[in-house]
């Protein structure tokens, strides 16, 4: 028996990186999975095949988490296909890094919409399902820069800070219905998102980390598994920093 046997999880942005690592771990722990991605590409289709090999039911949905309409549709389809959603992981996110002086309105709007509005979209769509089930765990992917701020990431940091406020509010609104809502704030995690940074920037991040290494997507997935499972049944409204001790 896995920690998530009998549960169904909906994970956004699961074609690679942290979202895919969470999907793989949840599958190994017995969860059926509804996975979303913005594009119907080889990366997504290969990820689905790889995750399916754990022997659970997996279905992919092409959906833009930034779209309110798409998010409602994907939740309706997932409920139709799996009859329930026990766990929602709002993972999809992007960066458009630049100093505020150079930031365009488009760069601001895109990051806020994809990172923050998406969390509103999916959570709003999933809450009625969880209310009916009288249980649920929602996990929102924030970032340590949402707590500490970061030069060159004012749009991204604002979106990730917004997620923390949203998480705390939702936890207060639906806690009495046995629905929990928590945030994960990863630090420097080695994925395609961080691969594009220069070697110098990567080195300077790692020097600030007491554990002296970048995190892996699996480090974040382990924390997500804890929050998704009954091991965290008395934890809600919290933000966990997954950052090798960088932020204390
Ligand atoms: P990634 O770029 O490797 O993967 C992002 C995933 O989201 C991809 O599957 C992509 O196709 C999907 N996606 C992008 N826009 C989408 C949309 N509008 N609708 C649906 N899917 C969409 O990124 P990574 O590193 O795996 O990050 C995952 C989450 O973790 C993001 O929210 C990111 O902000 C957060 N995070 C990452 C950190 C890192 O160091 N890599 C640190 C802190 C937070």
């Amino acid at each position: 028996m896995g920690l998530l046997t009998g549960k169904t999880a909906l994970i956004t942005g699961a074609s690679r990186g942290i979202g895919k690592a969470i999907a793989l771990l949840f599958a190994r722990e017995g969860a059926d999975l509804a996975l979303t991605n913005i594009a119907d590409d080889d990366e997504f289709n290969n990820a689905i095949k790889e995750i399916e090999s754990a022997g659970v039911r997996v279905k992919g949905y092409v959906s833009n988490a930034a779209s309110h309409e798409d998010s409602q549709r994907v939740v309706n389809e997932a409920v139709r296909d799996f009859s329930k959603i026990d766990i929602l992981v709002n993972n999809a996110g992007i960066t458009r890094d630049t100093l505020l002086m150079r930031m365009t309105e488009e760069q601001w709007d895109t990051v806020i919409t994809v990172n923050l509005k998406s969390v509103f979209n999916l959570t709003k769509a999933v809450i009625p399902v969880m209310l009916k089930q009288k249980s649920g765990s929602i996990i929102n992917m924030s970032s340590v820069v949402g707590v500490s701020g970061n030069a060159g990431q004012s749009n991204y940091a604002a979106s990730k800070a917004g997620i923390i406020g949203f998480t705390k509010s939702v936890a207060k609104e639906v806690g009495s219905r046995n629905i929990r809502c928590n945030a994960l704030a990863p630090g420097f995690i080695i994925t395609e998102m961080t691969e594009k940074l220069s070697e110098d920037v990567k080195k300077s991040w790692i020097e600030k980390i007491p554990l002296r290494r970048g995190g892996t997507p699996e480090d974040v997935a382990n924390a997500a598994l804890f929050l998704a499972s009954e091991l965290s049944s008395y934890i809600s409204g919290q933000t966990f920093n997954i950052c090798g001790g960088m932020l204390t």
Side-chain angles (χ1 to χ4, degrees), residues 15-113:
S15 74
R16 63 174 190 230
I18 294 170
K20 181 182 166 191
I22 293 173
L24 273 166
L25 183 60
F26 281 17
R28 278 189 215 119
E29 292 295 330
D32 289 330
L33 296 170
L35 306 177
T36 84
N37 193 47
I38 182 91
D40 186 10
D41 53 15
D42 287 350
E43 189 176 62
F44 188 38
N45 292 313
N46 292 337
I48 292 169
K49 276 193 210 122
E50 189 183 336
I51 295 157
E52 263 170 351
S53 65
V56 294
R57 274 187 70 206
V58 183
K59 191 151 184 213
Y61 304 83
V62 176
S63 156
N64 179 4
S67 155
H68 195 67
E69 215 183 320
D70 255 20
S71 304
Q72 189 61 61
R73 177 186 55 77
V74 84
V75 167
N76 290 344
E77 287 180 9
V79 171
R80 185 197 63 203
D81 296 339
F82 292 90
S83 320
K84 61 188 189 128
I85 299 172
D86 302 293
I87 302 151
L88 167 66
V89 184
N90 281 310
N91 168 75
I94 56 162
T95 51
R96 293 287 183 273
D97 296 352
T98 187
L99 294 172
L100 178 61
M101 295 257 283
R102 295 198 197 109
M103 190 175 293
T104 62
E105 185 183 3
E106 201 265 331
Q107 286 170 324
W108 172 268
D109 285 345
T110 304
V111 168
I112 296 294
T113 311

Side-chain angles (χ1 to χ4, degrees), residues 142-150 157-158 160-161 164 185 239-241 247-248:
S142 178
S143 164
V144 289
V145 308
V147 181
S148 62
N150 194 25
K160 295 301 187 182
I164 294 174
T239 303
F240 291 89
N241 303 327
L247 191 71
T248 54

Side-chain angles (χ1 to χ4, degrees), residues 111-121 158-163 166:
V111 168
I112 296 294
T113 311
V114 174
N115 293 5
L116 180 57
K117 189 183 172 205
S118 63
V119 177
F120 160 74
N121 289 339
S159 72
K160 295 301 187 182
I163 288 176
F166 179 83

Side-chain angles (χ1 to χ4, degrees), residues 123-206:
T123 305
K124 187 167 161 68
V126 126
I127 287 281
V129 181
M130 292 182 169
L131 284 175
K132 251 191 233 157
Q133 292 167 191
K134 299 192 173 61
S135 70
S137 175
I138 300 167
I139 302 162
N140 297 326
M141 206 56 71
S142 178
S143 164
V144 289
V145 308
V147 181
S148 62
N150 194 25
Q153 290 199 304
S154 59
N155 51 358
Y156 183 78
S159 72
K160 295 301 187 182
I163 288 176
I164 294 174
F166 179 83
T167 299
K168 291 179 182 180
S169 305
V170 171
K172 289 186 176 182
E173 282 188 30
V174 293
S176 66
R177 314 297 283 272
N178 196 30
I179 301 169
R180 301 182 293 110
C181 185
N182 292 289
L184 290 176
F188 181 73
I189 310 297
I190 301 155
T191 67
E192 288 197 22
M193 183 180 270
T194 44
E195 267 311 303
K196 23 182 189 186
L197 298 171
S198 72
E199 285 307 315
D200 281 356
V201 172
K202 282 190 228 170
K203 206 169 148 251
S204 78
W205 270 92
I206 288 168

